[in-house]
């Protein structure tokens, strides 16, 4: 299980419990669960008000920037306009300031008329319509009780939504697959209706009630059907986003899925029934009678209580919650065992099985993978595709900046990601059981201490390496993180910690050098310090101050080598990380243990650099102070080159080889922290199409760059440009070598930045949010073009850019400076 439940972000609010169609594939009325029979027909005002209150309470408690609510049924339009208006108004009123409501209704469309559409326009409800394809396909199941077709009425509903007045309400089409329908006809019929998105849904089934597999259609008819659709969709230029295909693409690249039917992302959905009962996902209705029930209801229980329900927790446990077969499966990080309900078998194994669609899922994923190979990236990022930032915070970051609250929000999201990665690595494994148990106990007893331990940047780097099966990723190292959390909490503990190359590591705190070390050591800790037991005599390390494990004896040459922390002006504390082996995550070789003199060599320039950042980069400094806690010294670059790097897997850290001057150190810190911020944004928000694997011209480099590389570089150079601009202004027309050098730097970087924003904007691959970032970066960079730098600097900058472009052309064989 995860250490703490993931907060709910998706809420299915049942506003009506009956339907005006009698579709024979409906999981609400035609499958195992019969609880609908005892429910009130519609949600009362009391239920709606309490549901809104609970959702608002949950959003406030977890500081959710957005919640997604689907008004559902039965057929929700049967609830009538007045009740739907009331639901929307209550929900909007209940949410805290800064939390966005994404409100939708999923309907069969039969009753949708102009009156409903006007209402939805007024109260902000988007509409998803269930439609199984062309008339023949739709009529196979979606009929009235007397057998009449619903197709014409549904098309009329879609036609309304396509009118310009209501087009913005059109959320998409949901199509349940029947393999006896013609896949080409289904896709063509859906595309013709110009939906903003299509969802293809597998019919609900379990091992006890398997899906139909018609004779002569092979063993994987669902994969074959979807692959036929995929091929046609691809040949047509992918005119409409299709959620299941996008999810396979994303998960193959290590990104999050867009559907709970695929991937390892924790479930974050709860259902509120018409009587106020809180239930798990509706799809469970297909498993057995009462399967979705939790025993909780909105009048007596908070949403946090239901989030801790074992059924909910199990659906949040990622890889650890899957069957043995799935855990060993080569496509598990894309498939995730399929939809939870589809794993059910009533032989006592419950949900601990692969999906009943296992063969289909395997074939679909591997076929798409082989058709569209791409960079896999990290195999699991089990985070919900949910915004973690408010619109205002996103705009601030889009302009390149980031206030302390914004960067703190990014850090909180990163912490959640680290927790889920740890859960995916550790839960259920015997070798991590002891450490996991301690972490879980600390989560309840001392969550702040646990958060502080998990905020160490290289905990995530370690977890990702474990998930990737990389060498040097020792599962036993989890005990080190658990020990650090316990030491920070001042809680007694005893753990077995690994010893590598004669050292026992406490990530973020330091390392103990051991004589006669074996492979492991027994460590006991308490509020005053800790004791290490090996074959040699026990070794005791005492803190100077109880519960403050960063101020023990720091005498050089002793067995305890703490991470040194520098407290800079204004109280900004930076760790100089030189003990954690995971710090080699920055693409350049790391420096070894710093001597006391070397620490002093860092302290002065870092202090001076921080003063410069505060003075010259006031829009960047608060974010740096809020989010940057670790500087990892790197070995000096070749020929005195300035070396620095950030790592996508190490939020809060930058790697730097100490440069010759404090201003350059300031520049490197600001530059790299831009990468840190943008990487954290990209973990949760799509700024560009990850399927775009073209290479682009980055004006500052001769070699072609992928889109993300171009975006990252542009974002970092915003800070670089501003740094030089403020220095040029400070020289105020003075002539000197330093002033001329600053003018050349400004002329160079502002041109590069503005030019690369133009390349990004012209790529055609930015998402709407990506376009906001491009606009924000342009707005920040362009004013610097007005700072006078002199003809000579302008000319030399142009010459350097032209030289890079010529080299890029020679390497890429292209002439146009956009994508290749
Ligand atoms: S393809 Fe089958 S075995 Fe692999 S993860 Fe999916 S359901 Fe499990």
């Amino acid at each position: 299980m995860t250490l703490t439940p993931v907060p709910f972000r998706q809420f299915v609010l049942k506003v009506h419990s009956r339907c005006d169609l009698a579709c024979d594939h409906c999981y609400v009325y035609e499958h195992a669960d019969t609880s609908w029979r005892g429910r009130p027909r519609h949600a009362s005002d009391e239920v709606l008000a309490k549901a809104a209150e609970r959702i608002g309470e949950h959003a406030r408690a977890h500081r959710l920037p957005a919640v997604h609510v689907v008004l559902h049924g039965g057929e929700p339009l049967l609830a009538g306009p007045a009740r739907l208006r009331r639901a929307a108004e209550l929900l909007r009123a209940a949410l805290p300031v800064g939390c966005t409501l994404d409100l939708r209704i999923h309907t069969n469309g039969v009753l949708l008329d102009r009156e409903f559409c006007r209402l939805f326009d007024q109260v902000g409800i988007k509409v998803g319509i269930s439609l199984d394809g062309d008339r023949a396909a739709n009529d196979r199941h979606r009929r009235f009780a007397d057998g009449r077709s619903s197709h014409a009425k549904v098309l009329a509903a879609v036609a309304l939504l396509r009118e310009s007045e209501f087009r913005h309400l059109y959320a998409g089409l949901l199509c349940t697959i029947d393999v006896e329908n013609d896949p080409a006809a289904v896709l063509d019929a859906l595309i013709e209706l110009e939906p903003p998105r299509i969802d293809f849904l597998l019919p609900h089934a379990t091992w006890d009630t398997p899906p139909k597999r018609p004779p002569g259609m092979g063993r994987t008819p669902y994969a074959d059907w979807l692959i036929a659709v995929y091929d046609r969709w691809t040949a047509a230029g992918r005119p409409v986003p299709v959620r299941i295909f996008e999810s396979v693409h994303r998960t193959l690249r290590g990104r999050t899925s867009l559907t709970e039917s695929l991937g390892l992302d924790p479930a974050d959905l709860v259902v509120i029934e018409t009587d106020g009962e809180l239930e798990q996902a509706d799809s469970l209705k297909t498993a057995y009678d009462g399967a979705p029930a939790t025993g909780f209801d909105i009048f007596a229980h908070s949403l946090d209580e239901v989030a801790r329900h074992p059924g909910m927790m199990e659906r949040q446990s990622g890889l650890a919650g899957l069957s043995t077969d799935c855990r060993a499966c080569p496509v598990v990080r894309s498939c995730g065992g399929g939809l939870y309900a589809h794993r059910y078998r009533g032989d006592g194994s419950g949900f601990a099985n692969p999906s009943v669609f296992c063969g289909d899922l395997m074939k679909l994923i591997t076929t798409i993978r082989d058709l569209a190979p791409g960079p896999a990236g990290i195999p699991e990022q089990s985070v919900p595709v949910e915004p973690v930032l408010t619109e205002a915070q996103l705009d601030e970051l889009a302009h390149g900046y980031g206030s302390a609250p914004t960067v703190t929000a990014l850090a909180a999201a990163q912490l959640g990601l680290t927790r889920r990665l740890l859960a995916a690595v550790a839960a259920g494994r015997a070798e991590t059981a002891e450490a996991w148990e301690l972490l879980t106990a600390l989560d309840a007893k001392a969550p702040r201490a646990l958060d502080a331990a998990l905020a160490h940047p290289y905990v995530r780097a370690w977890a990702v390496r474990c998930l990737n099966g990389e060498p040097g990723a020792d599962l036993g190292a989890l005990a080190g993180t658990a020990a650090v959390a316990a030491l920070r909490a001042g809680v007694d503990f005893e753990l077995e910690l690994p010893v590598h190359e004669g050292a026992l590591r406490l990530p973020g705190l330091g390392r103990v050098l051991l004589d006669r070390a074996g492979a492991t050591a027994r460590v006991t800790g308490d509020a005053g310090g800790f004791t290490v037991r090996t074959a040699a005599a026990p070794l005791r390390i005492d803190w100077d101050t109880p519960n403050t494990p960063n101020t023990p004896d720091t005498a050089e040459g002793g067995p305890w080598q703490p991470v040194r922390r520098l407290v800079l002006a204004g109280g900004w504390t930076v760790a100089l990380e030189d003990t954690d082996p995971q710090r080699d995550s920055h693409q350049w070789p790391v420096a070894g243990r710093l001597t006391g003199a070397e620490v002093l060599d860092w302290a002065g320039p870092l202090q001076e650099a921080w003063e410069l950042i505060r003075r010259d980069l006031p829009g960047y400094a608060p974010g740096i102070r809020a989010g940057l806690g670790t500087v990892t010294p790197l070995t000096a670059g070749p020929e005195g080159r300035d070396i620095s790097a950030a790592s996508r897997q190490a939020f809060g850290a930058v790697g730097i080889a100490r440069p010759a001057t404090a201003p350059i150190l300031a520049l490197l810190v600001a530059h790299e922290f831009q990468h840190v911020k943008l990487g954290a944004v990209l973990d949760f928000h799509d700024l560009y199409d990850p399927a775009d694997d073209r290479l682009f011209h980055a004006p500052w480099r001769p070699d072609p760059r992928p889109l993300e590389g171009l975006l990252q570089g542009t974002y970092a150079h915003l800070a670089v440009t501003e740094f030089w601009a403020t220095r040029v202004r400070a020289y105020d027309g003075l002539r000197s070598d330093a002033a001329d050098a600053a003018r050349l730097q400004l002329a160079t970087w502002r041109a590069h930045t503005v030019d690369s924003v133009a390349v990004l904007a012209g790529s055609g691959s930015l998402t709407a949010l990506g376009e906001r970032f491009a606009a924000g970066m342009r707005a920040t960079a362009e004013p610097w073009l007005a700072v006078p730098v002199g003809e000579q600097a302008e000319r030399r900058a142009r010459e350097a850019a032209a030289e890079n472009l010529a080299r890029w052309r020679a390497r890429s064989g292209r002439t146009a400076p956009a994508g290749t």
Side-chain angles (χ1 to χ4, degrees):
M1 67 168 67
T2 51
L3 292 168
T4 47
V6 172
F8 295 119
R9 289 181 172 80
Q10 303 185 66
F11 304 87
V12 173
L13 181 56
K14 298 297 187 87
V15 290
H16 202 278
S17 70
R18 304 294 193 272
C19 189
D20 46 356
L21 288 182
C23 309
D24 60 8
H25 60 358
C26 178
Y27 55 83
V28 177
Y29 305 111
E30 303 294 334
H31 285 218
D33 183 80
T34 56
S35 57
W36 62 273
R37 292 179 198 280
R39 305 249 190 245
R41 283 184 170 265
H42 58 72
S44 65
D45 276 2
E46 292 71 33
V47 167
L48 293 178
K50 195 68 188 178
E53 182 189 324
R54 287 297 191 196
I55 293 170
E57 174 186 274
H58 196 67
R60 203 168 288 110
H62 296 281
R63 298 190 184 157
L64 300 179
V67 295
H68 306 266
V69 181
V70 177
L71 304 175
H72 212 281
E75 170 45 49
L77 294 183
L78 287 173
R83 201 173 310 278
L84 295 176
R85 175 187 291 280
R86 180 114 185 95
E89 289 172 348
L90 285 166
L91 284 162
R92 288 196 192 285
L95 289 179
V97 175
C99 180
T100 307
L101 174 63
D102 172 29
L103 185 56
R104 288 163 193 251
I105 192 164
H106 282 180
T107 167
N108 61 32
V110 167
L111 290 177
L112 191 75
D113 60 12
R114 212 164 278 282
E115 186 194 351
F116 272 123
C117 286
R118 290 207 186 98
L119 166 69
F120 296 159
D121 181 34
Q122 286 164 16
V123 297
I125 300 177
K126 293 195 166 188
V127 186
I129 302 257
S130 299
L131 176 65
D132 289 350
D134 57 321
R135 178 168 181 134
N138 201 62
D139 284 356
R140 191 183 291 278
H141 300 289
R142 309 193 70 82
R143 290 175 174 274
F144 289 95
D146 60 6
R148 276 180 300 131
S149 164
S150 64
H151 188 247
K153 286 185 181 295
V154 182
L155 287 196
V158 175
L160 255 182
L161 291 173
R162 291 172 69 196
E163 288 183 9
S164 58
E165 187 184 355
F166 302 126
R167 175 83 205 180
H168 61 289
L169 303 176
Y170 191 10
L173 299 174
L174 297 94
C175 170
T176 301
I177 298 167
D178 187 307
V179 290
E180 291 184 291
N181 290 332
D182 176 354
V186 168
L187 180 69
D188 293 352
L190 297 179
I191 286 178
E192 197 185 324
L193 299 178
E194 299 180 307
R197 184 182 290 277
I198 298 173
D199 267 354
F200 286 110
L201 311 171
L202 288 167
H204 289 320
T206 69
W207 287 99
D208 295 343
T209 52
K212 72 173 177 184
R213 297 186 190 281
M217 294 189 82
R219 296 173 58 193
T220 55
Y222 294 89
D224 299 339
W225 195 93
L226 278 166
I227 289 165
V229 172
Y230 181 85
D231 289 343
R232 194 170 183 87
W233 174 68
T234 304
R238 300 176 185 170
V240 176
V242 175
R243 196 186 300 267
I244 190 168
F245 300 148
E246 287 181 310
S247 294
V248 174
H249 287 165
R250 290 174 59 90
T251 53
L252 284 172
R253 286 172 168 81
R255 290 169 170 266
T256 49
S257 172
L258 303 176
T259 164
E260 64 168 336
S261 307
L262 290 172
L264 291 167
D265 312 305
D268 60 356
L269 178 148
V270 66
V271 178
I272 303 170
E273 285 288 354
T274 51
D275 56 2
E277 286 192 9
L278 289 156
E279 296 215 327
Q280 303 177 67
D282 255 10
S283 51
L284 281 165
K285 289 183 189 300
T286 205
Y288 55 89
D289 199 9
T294 64
F296 295 118
D297 71 77
I298 50 170
F299 294 102
H301 303 99
S302 72
L303 294 176
D304 276 346
E305 284 175 278
V306 75
R308 287 192 288 272
H309 181 277
M312 295 287 189
M313 295 287 282
E314 197 176 334
R315 289 168 48 244
Q316 297 190 343
S317 53
L319 196 62
L322 299 184
S323 66
T324 314
D325 285 350
C326 288
R327 287 209 299 269
C329 172
V331 301
V332 66
R333 296 185 192 286
S334 273
C335 174
L339 193 69
Y340 186 71
H342 297 174
R343 303 174 205 161
Y344 182 74
R345 194 193 285 268
D347 62 357
S349 59
F351 297 93
N353 301 293
S355 167
V356 71
F357 292 100
C358 175
D360 296 280
L361 292 168
M362 174 85 79
K363 184 171 181 181
L364 174 68
I365 292 164
T366 52
T367 302
I368 292 179
R369 181 194 65 197
D370 296 343
L371 282 172
I378 65 166
E380 202 229 3
Q381 294 243 32
S382 56
V383 291
V385 188
E386 296 303 324
V388 298
L389 299 164
T390 64
E391 295 296 309
Q393 288 172 329
L394 281 169
D395 271 337
E396 198 185 303
L397 288 162
H399 283 76
Y401 302 116
S403 63
T406 297
V407 174
T408 300
L410 278 179
Q414 289 290 310
L415 196 57
L417 175 55
T418 300
R419 281 172 167 255
R420 290 190 284 280
L421 286 168
L422 278 193
V425 171
R429 294 190 202 240
E431 58 269 58
T432 59
E434 194 181 36
W436 187 248
E437 197 179 320
L438 177 58
L439 285 169
T440 307
L442 288 169
D443 195 30
K445 212 187 287 182
R448 285 187 169 207
L450 177 61
D451 281 349
L454 299 187
H456 174 54
Y458 301 112
V459 173
R460 170 174 164 183
W462 167 81
V464 170
R465 282 178 167 165
C466 288
L467 288 169
N468 281 340
E470 290 178 28
D474 176 3
L475 283 174
L478 185 70
T481 296
V484 170
L487 289 168
R488 286 186 177 278
V491 166
D492 291 1
F493 72 93
E494 181 169 356
L495 281 175
E496 194 86 4
L497 263 67
V499 177
H500 286 299
E501 297 173 352
L504 178 148
R505 267 109 182 173
L506 295 172
L509 291 188
R511 67 183 177 188
V512 186
L513 300 182
L514 298 170
D515 294 334
R516 292 198 290 145
T520 61
R522 199 81 196 150
V523 177
T524 52
D526 50 60
F530 65 99
T531 303
V532 183
R533 289 187 173 77
T534 61
L539 176 63
R540 174 75 189 173
I541 307 294
D542 282 313
W543 312 134
D544 292 346
T545 309
N547 299 347
T548 311
N550 56 352
T551 57
D553 172 17
T554 56
E556 279 184 59
W560 171 238
Q561 296 190 327
V563 173
R564 272 74 64 101
R565 288 182 163 69
L566 306 175
V567 182
L568 307 179
W572 181 36
T573 302
V574 186
L576 280 177
E577 175 56 71
D578 58 359
T579 66
D580 188 337
Q582 303 299 332
R583 73 189 189 283
D584 67 345
S585 304
H586 295 282
Q587 132 196 20
W588 297 99
V590 294
R593 175 69 174 172
L594 301 180
T595 64
E598 286 170 329
V599 172
L600 291 176
D601 278 350
W602 272 97
L606 254 181
Q607 175 65 51
E608 202 183 324
W610 175 229
E611 296 287 4
L612 283 172
I613 290 170
R614 293 211 299 179
R615 188 193 69 193
D616 292 349
L617 295 172
Y620 299 85
I624 290 173
R625 180 181 167 165
L628 180 60
T630 297
V631 172
T632 293
L634 305 176
T635 57
E639 299 161 4
R641 233 178 96 193
D642 292 321
I643 296 290
S644 64
S647 165
R648 180 72 175 269
Q649 312 303 349
F651 180 85
V654 295
I656 296 177
R658 197 176 66 75
T661 67
I664 296 301
L665 182 55
L667 193 57
L668 298 179
V669 167
H671 176 125
E672 296 305 336
F673 194 68
Q674 291 296 97
H675 290 309
V676 171
K677 281 190 301 194
L678 185 60
V681 171
L682 289 170
D683 278 339
F684 295 92
H685 297 272
D686 283 331
L687 300 192
Y688 61 91
D689 176 5
D692 186 344
D693 52 8
R694 292 174 297 165
L695 296 176
F696 291 80
H697 173 54
W700 58 91
R701 289 175 68 133
D703 53 330
R705 302 289 293 152
L707 198 54
E708 181 171 342
L710 181 64
L711 175 62
Q712 282 279 6
T714 309
Y715 198 72
H717 294 144
L718 287 174
V720 173
T721 299
E722 186 157 334
F723 177 85
W724 289 114
T726 52
R727 294 184 85 71
V728 166
R729 281 184 169 163
Y731 286 120
D732 194 21
L734 290 175
R735 304 301 310 186
S736 71
D737 287 350
D740 286 345
R743 290 181 188 111
L744 176 58
Q745 291 287 349
L746 174 58
T748 301
W749 292 112
R750 68 187 183 183
H752 286 349
T753 308
V754 170
D755 289 352
S756 52
V757 169
V759 175
L760 285 166
S763 69
S765 283
L766 297 186
T767 61
L769 182 58
E771 284 174 4
R772 264 167 75 190
F773 265 66
M777 289 192 287
R778 188 185 303 114
T780 299
E782 279 184 349
W784 300 122
L785 294 173
V787 178
V789 293
E791 176 51 30
Q792 189 187 15
E794 295 276 22
R795 182 172 42 77
R796 288 179 59 195
R798 276 198 303 272
E799 287 168 358
E803 193 179 322
N804 273 343
L805 181 57
R807 287 160 71 191
W808 172 82
R809 282 179 171 144
R811 287 196 192 193
S812 67
R814 308 283 299 202
T815 53
T820 63

